[in-house]
Structures are given as structure tokens and as C-alpha cells.
């Protein structure tokens, strides 16, 4: 059944794509004959284009992290960490997605006017500044008892009989810890 639904959604997307017009910038490039015959090959085989491909992957990774944090991790955080009932979390996120959907259209329109780079850079900057305060606010309102516990309790990690082996590069030729390793780990092989 889900497969049949996806065929229907594909048909709807093809219908809407057929009704859309190309952007004015693409129409100008096409009229001037500046479109590429093999864009993928040119992107990956011409050295000057590689910096743009790398930049694209960096930006896509940042925006992917923002999208994943906003849509998926926050649902997990509410339901698993803050113990909000799953039905409430799903209802909340369904409502939020319906409310913010017009913003996708608005920012798409705005990016056509001023370009995508400023909008994506602003999205990354805002995420870097606001994600931690937003999650603190979510904790405050969703589970105030957990917030009070976090603020009043020290977290101590203790391990008994913990052993590990450092790579060979941290030891001198005699098998003892070299000076930089001893300073970093507190190991003194003279003891």
C-alpha cells in the first residue's frame, strides 16, 4: 500500500513540476547559450569547479544537521529524554510543521530575490546561536523536574579497573612513556 501511495505522490509532483516555469536567471543563461551539455561531468572534472562542489557538500551538511536536529532529534529528545508521551510529541510536531510550511514558500521566494547563500548562511548562524537555548527552554517547559535535577546535581563519572592501551607513537624506544605522553596522561614510568 505505501508503494501505491508513493506512485500517486510522484504523479502529483510531476504534474506540479510541469506547471512550473524556469527561474529568470536560468532563462537568461539558456538564451545566452551558457548552459552545460554535461553538468555533472564538468562539475567533478574541472578543477576550478571542485571548490564549489566541496562548498556545496559543507553547506548541505550544515543544513542537514539543522534539519535533522529540528525535525528528528527534537522529537526523540522530547519523547525519550524528557518523557513527554509520544502521542503528544507527534501532535505537537504535526501542528508545528503545518504552521511553518508557509515559511518554506516564503524563504524560497526570498532566495529567488536575494540569492540562496545569504539565507543558508543566516540559517546556519541562527542555528548555532539558538539550538542550545531552544533545547534548554524545551526542557524547562516540558519537564521542569528534570531541569531542577540537572541544575542541583553534580554529574560524576567513575570507572573501576579501567585499562587502555596507547598507540606505539606515544612511547620511546625503551617502551616507557615519552615526555609529552607522561604530561598528557599523568603516566610516570619511573614510579
Amino acid at each position: 500500500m505505501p508503494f501505491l501511495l508513493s506512485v500517486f505522490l510522484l504523479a502529483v509532483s510531476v504534474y506540479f513540476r510541469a506547471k512550473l516555469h524556469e527561474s529568470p536567471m536560468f532563462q537568461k543563461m539558456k538564451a545566452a547559450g551558457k548552459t552545460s551539455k554535461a553538468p555533472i561531468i564538468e562539475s567533478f572534472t574541472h578543477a576550478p569547479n571542485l571548490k564549489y562542489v566541496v562548498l556545496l557538500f559543507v553547506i548541505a551538511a550544515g543544513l542537514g544537521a539543522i534539519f535533522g536536529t529540528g525535525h528528528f532529534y527534537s522529537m526523540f529528545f522530547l519523547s525519550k529524554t524528557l518523557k513527554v508521551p509520544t502521542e503528544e510529541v507527534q501532535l505537537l510536531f504535526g501542528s508545528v510543521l503545518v504552521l511553518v510550511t508557509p515559511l518554506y514558500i516564503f524563504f524560497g521566494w526570498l532566495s529567488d530575490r536575494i540569492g540562496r547563500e545569504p539565507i543558508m548562511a543566516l540559517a546556519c548562524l541562527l542555528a548555532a546561536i539558538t539550538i542550545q537555548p531552544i533545547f534548554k527552554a524545551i526542557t524547562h517547559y516540558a519537564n521542569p523536574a528534570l531541569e531542577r535535577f540537572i541544575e542541583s546535581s553534580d554529574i560524576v563519572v567513575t570507572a573501576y579497573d579501567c585499562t587502555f592501551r596507547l598507540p606505539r607513537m606515544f612511547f620511546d624506544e625503551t617502551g616507557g612513556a615519552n615526555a609529552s605522553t607522561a604530561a598528557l596522561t599523568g603516566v610516570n614510568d619511573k614510579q
Side-chain angles (χ1 to χ4, degrees), residues 85-145:
T86 304
E87 297 80 20
E88 288 182 34
V89 173
Q90 292 172 346
L91 182 62
L92 174 69
F93 274 83
S95 304
V96 167
L97 287 175
V98 167
L99 292 173
V100 301
T101 297
L103 293 177
Y104 286 100
I105 297 167
F106 170 74
F107 283 107
W109 169 84
L110 187 61
S111 70
D112 286 342
R113 300 292 180 264
I114 65 172
R116 284 157 181 69
E117 184 179 336
I119 291 175
M120 290 189 284
L122 182 63
C124 289
L125 178 66
L126 284 174
I129 293 169
T130 62
I131 283 178
Q132 190 172 9
I134 287 171
F135 275 85
K136 284 185 178 188
I138 290 171
T139 303
H140 175 77
Y141 290 108
N143 194 338

Side-chain angles (χ1 to χ4, degrees), residues 6-145:
S6 68
V7 170
F8 171 73
L9 292 174
L10 176 65
V12 170
S13 66
V14 168
Y15 171 78
F16 281 117
R17 178 63 184 109
K19 298 289 182 184
L20 290 176
H21 301 290
E22 297 295 348
S23 69
M25 181 173 283
F26 182 78
Q27 288 176 344
K28 287 178 190 176
M29 288 175 57
K30 194 173 181 180
K34 293 183 178 180
T35 57
S36 175
K37 301 278 188 252
I40 294 175
I41 292 172
E42 289 179 17
S43 295
F44 288 100
T45 58
H46 295 316
N49 292 341
L50 287 178
K51 66 180 177 185
Y52 296 114
V53 171
V54 170
L55 181 62
L56 171 70
F57 283 122
V58 169
I59 291 172
L63 293 175
I66 293 168
F67 183 86
T69 301
H71 288 82
F72 303 115
Y73 178 70
S74 51
M75 287 181 70
F76 176 83
F77 181 71
L78 275 167
S79 62
K80 302 296 183 194
T81 305
L82 300 181
K83 306 297 185 205
V84 175
T86 304
E87 297 80 20
E88 288 182 34
V89 173
Q90 292 172 346
L91 182 62
L92 174 69
F93 274 83
S95 304
V96 167
L97 287 175
V98 167
L99 292 173
V100 301
T101 297
L103 293 177
Y104 286 100
I105 297 167
F106 170 74
F107 283 107
W109 169 84
L110 187 61
S111 70
D112 286 342
R113 300 292 180 264
I114 65 172
R116 284 157 181 69
E117 184 179 336
I119 291 175
M120 290 189 284
L122 182 63
C124 289
L125 178 66
L126 284 174
I129 293 169
T130 62
I131 283 178
Q132 190 172 9
I134 287 171
F135 275 85
K136 284 185 178 188
I138 290 171
T139 303
H140 175 77
Y141 290 108
N143 194 338

Side-chain angles (χ1 to χ4, degrees), residues 166 170-172 174-182 185 187-190:
L166 291 173
F170 291 118
F171 293 93
D172 61 21
T174 64
N178 64 29
S180 62
T181 305
T185 62
V187 171
N188 185 350
D189 59 340
K190 305 281 190 252

